[in-house]
């Protein structure tokens, strides 16, 4: 037998994931003051615009539904869209999410906005341009080094949960997901998906988690991958289904859980390998590969499902790509448009 050498990109991902729960928990407990400030701004002005790029945009999409459930008029936009088709931000609280705080879009936005109230940052780097330009939630442990987002996603979710808790959302389920992380086996899902030529990730309340997973599959596995909110999946894209198109659903304890089950049944009938990563507490859909964690909703469901989603995406990519985690055309911090 020969011992496989772990590619450096994969080793970097493993290092990040090994520390992500501890860093996320410490990030939550270390940002009470700034979270209270943001919550106060949101009580005074209930319009919230969440801006970010790539995985930062995806994590904003994960938390957007919970802000709305608390009566905050939250909308999430890519930073680049705000630059070229801008919303009027004059009457809104704005949170700019960037793990490095240094991407070209962050620099351009800050130059355009100048000094203004109700502008906040969320970053892993306390010395970054973003953090030095506005009051910011700061994640523990500094900038993520691995190419694809893992630790930064979990930390960013924890930081948003700190703000949500200051707005009255019960943080106990989210903290439980961080302190008692589940590690379900994803081997059957890898076996089902490894011969697929393209992937679809989908969710309803967890649509942002599906978007983060699709991004990871493209970055690491170099596979065509589409993220579709469940309703959007029904409106035409079902025509893509077939044995070479894998489908991955993410599901929480949510009113739309049965709608996800109906979609999963269609995917199975069409011959698509179908995976359900499930925090709903409901029974599996026949013909799917069912991966479950404890029943959860909202940010807690995202925190519980994110690690198995990471493992699924990374292990699948490792089965398909020789030098997984080493980018060919991209960089960790994007400095040109």
């Amino acid at each position: 037998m020969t011992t496989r050498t772990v590619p450096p990109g994969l080793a970097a991902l493993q290092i990040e994931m090994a520390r992500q729960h501890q860093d996320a928990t410490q990030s939550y407990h270390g940002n009470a003051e700034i979270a209270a400030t943001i919550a106060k701004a949101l009580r005074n002005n209930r319009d919230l615009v969440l801006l970010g790029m790539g995985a930062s945009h995806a994590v904003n999409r994960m938390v957007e539904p919970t802000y709305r459930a608390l009566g905050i008029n939250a909308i999430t936009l890519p930073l680049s869209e705000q630059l070229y088709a801008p919303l009027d931000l004059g009457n809104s609280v704005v949170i700019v999410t960037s793990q490095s705080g240094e991407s070209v879009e962050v620099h351009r936005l800050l130059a355009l906005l100048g000094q203004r109230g109700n502008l906040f940052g969320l970053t892993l780097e306390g010395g970054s341009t973003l953090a030095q330009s506005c009051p910011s939630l700061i994640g523990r442990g500094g900038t993520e080094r691995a190419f694809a987002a893992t630790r930064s996603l979990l930390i960013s979710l924890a930081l948003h949960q700190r703000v949500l808790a200051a707005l009255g959302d019960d943080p106990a389920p989210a903290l439980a997901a961080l302190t008692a992380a589940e590690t379900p086996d994803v081997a059957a899902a890898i076996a089902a998906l490894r011969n697929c030529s393209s992937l679809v990730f989908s969710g309803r309340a967890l649509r942002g988690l599906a978007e983060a997973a699709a991004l990871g599959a493209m970055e690491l596995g170099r596979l065509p991958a589409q993220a579709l909110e469940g309703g959007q999946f029904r409106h035409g894209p079902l025509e893509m289904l077939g044995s070479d198109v894998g489908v991955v659903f993410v599901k929480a304890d949510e009113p739309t859980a049965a709608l996800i089950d109906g979609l999963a049944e269609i995917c199975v009938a069409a011959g698509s390998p179908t995976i359900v990563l499930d925090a709903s507490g409901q029974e599996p859909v026949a013909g799917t590969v069912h991966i479950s964690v404890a029943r959860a909703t909202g940010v807690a469901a995202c925190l519980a499902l994110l690690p198995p989603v990471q493992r699924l995406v990374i292990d699948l990519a490792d089965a398909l790509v020789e030098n997984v985690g080493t980018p060919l055309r991209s960089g960790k911090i994007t400095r040109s448009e």
Side-chain angles (χ1 to χ4, degrees):
M1 294 180 63
T2 59
T3 302
R4 180 198 178 206
T5 301
V6 177
L10 177 58
L13 288 163
Q14 292 171 342
I15 290 169
E16 298 286 3
M17 290 189 294
R19 58 184 285 200
Q20 64 181 352
H21 287 87
Q22 180 179 6
D23 281 358
T25 301
Q26 292 178 352
S27 298
Y28 176 89
H29 290 297
N31 281 270
E33 184 175 350
I34 180 60
T37 299
I38 296 172
K40 180 179 179 180
L42 286 169
R43 289 192 191 94
N44 292 333
N45 183 340
R46 305 190 77 81
D47 290 331
L48 170 64
V49 179
L50 297 162
L51 300 174
M53 294 296 292
S56 295
H57 174 63
V59 80
N60 287 342
R61 289 275 286 163
M62 289 186 221
V63 300
E64 183 183 50
T66 306
Y67 280 108
R68 291 179 182 175
L70 293 172
I72 304 300
N73 299 315
I75 186 168
T76 301
L77 284 179
L79 250 170
S80 54
E81 184 174 337
Q82 177 61 29
L83 290 174
Y84 294 106
L87 288 175
D88 182 353
L89 302 179
N91 295 317
S92 300
V93 177
V94 179
I95 300 178
V96 178
T97 301
S98 171
Q99 62 162 290
S100 68
E102 297 292 355
S103 73
V104 61
E105 292 85 3
V106 168
H107 280 266
R108 288 205 55 208
L109 181 76
L110 293 173
L112 287 171
L113 294 181
Q115 294 296 316
R116 52 157 287 172
N118 286 351
L119 173 65
F120 302 96
L122 188 157
T123 182
L124 271 63
E125 191 54 68
S128 66
T129 299
L130 176 60
Q132 297 302 308
S133 299
C134 59
S136 295
L137 297 152
I138 307 296
R140 174 79 174 187
T143 303
E144 188 174 51
R145 301 301 176 189
F147 171 53
T150 53
R151 181 174 65 95
S152 62
L153 287 172
L154 209 73
I155 289 173
S156 296
L157 283 171
L159 291 172
H160 275 294
Q161 181 60 68
R162 182 82 253 192
V163 177
L164 292 164
L167 288 169
D169 187 57
D170 180 10
L175 292 174
L178 285 176
T179 55
E182 297 182 72
T183 57
D185 189 359
V186 299
I190 303 300
L193 296 174
R194 66 179 301 156
N195 293 321
C196 293
S197 60
S198 59
L199 300 174
V200 178
F201 293 84
S202 185
R204 295 273 183 163
L206 303 188
R207 57 192 177 269
L209 179 57
E211 292 169 13
L215 175 60
M218 290 185 282
E219 289 178 328
L220 296 174
R222 300 171 192 153
L223 277 174
Q226 177 73 52
L228 290 166
E229 185 272 334
Q232 291 288 79
F233 195 6
R234 271 201 177 270
H235 281 253
L238 293 174
E239 296 305 315
M240 76 174 75
L241 296 174
S243 60
D244 63 337
V245 178
V247 182
V248 181
F249 291 101
V250 285
K251 184 172 68 168
D253 182 15
E254 56 184 291
T256 54
L259 299 177
I260 294 174
D261 291 349
L263 272 173
E265 290 169 355
I266 292 171
C267 296
V268 170
S272 284
T274 305
I275 317 301
V276 180
L277 290 121
D278 191 4
S280 74
Q282 297 181 353
E283 292 299 312
V285 175
T288 66
V289 176
H290 187 254
I291 301 170
S292 64
V293 297
R295 190 171 181 174
T297 190
V299 176
C302 290
L303 288 166
L305 286 174
L306 183 57
V309 166
Q310 290 172 349
R311 181 51 57 201
L312 171 65
V313 168
I314 292 169
D315 286 1
L316 178 61
D318 191 29
L320 300 174
V321 176
E322 182 178 0
N323 58 339
V324 63
T326 300
L328 302 177
R329 304 168 189 89
S330 308
K332 185 63 179 174
I333 303 174
T334 303
R335 298 190 184 277
S336 60
E337 294 184 83

